[in-house]
Amino acid sequence: MADHEGGAAVDAQAAPGYSASKQQIVTRLRRAEGQVRGIQRMVEDDVYCIDVLTQVSAATKALETVALQLLEDHLAHCVAEAAREGGAVADAKIAEASAAIARLVRS
């Protein structure tokens, strides 16, 4: 078992919940990366503040979309599997998912 951010142990052998949508997620992340680079160029080129903020909003939305896809995949795969097992594993996965949702809501 390996630790990840937050300290919870995860099975290093198990495929992540997002495996089925991995390429879609990577594509979305590359698009968001391009948006952020575009924002950087806008700032370097002294583009009007509101135009920069509009692009920041778009990049933020793109990352939120990725986060929601990852969360959906995690709930459908990892949490559902743990729930079938029950016990402490299920409790830990549910607590972990709840904490992730709370972080997303606060951001």
Side-chain angles (χ1 to χ4, degrees):
M1 295 213 169
D3 283 346
H4 65 87
E5 181 184 350
V10 294
D11 184 353
Q13 300 296 322
Y18 59 82
S19 291
S21 56
K22 181 177 179 176
Q23 191 54 52
Q24 178 186 23
I25 290 170
V26 168
T27 298
R28 288 180 183 273
L29 287 170
R30 286 187 179 138
R31 189 174 309 129
E33 178 184 24
Q35 288 177 303
V36 171
R37 285 190 179 137
I39 294 166
Q40 180 182 348
R41 281 190 301 276
M42 291 174 78
V43 170
E44 290 168 348
D45 294 343
D46 297 320
V47 172
Y48 184 59
C49 304
I50 296 302
D51 294 337
V52 175
L53 287 169
T54 298
Q55 292 306 309
V56 168
S57 178
T60 300
K61 180 68 175 166
L63 288 174
E64 287 173 351
T65 299
V66 170
L68 290 173
Q69 179 67 52
L70 288 168
L71 180 60
E72 182 179 320
D73 291 344
H74 180 67
L75 292 172
H77 180 267
C78 304
V79 175
E81 187 175 303
R84 284 189 290 275
E85 289 181 32
V89 171
D91 293 344
K93 287 290 183 188
I94 291 168
E96 180 183 58
S98 294
I101 292 166
R103 285 192 302 274
L104 286 172
V105 171
R106 283 191 302 262
S107 62

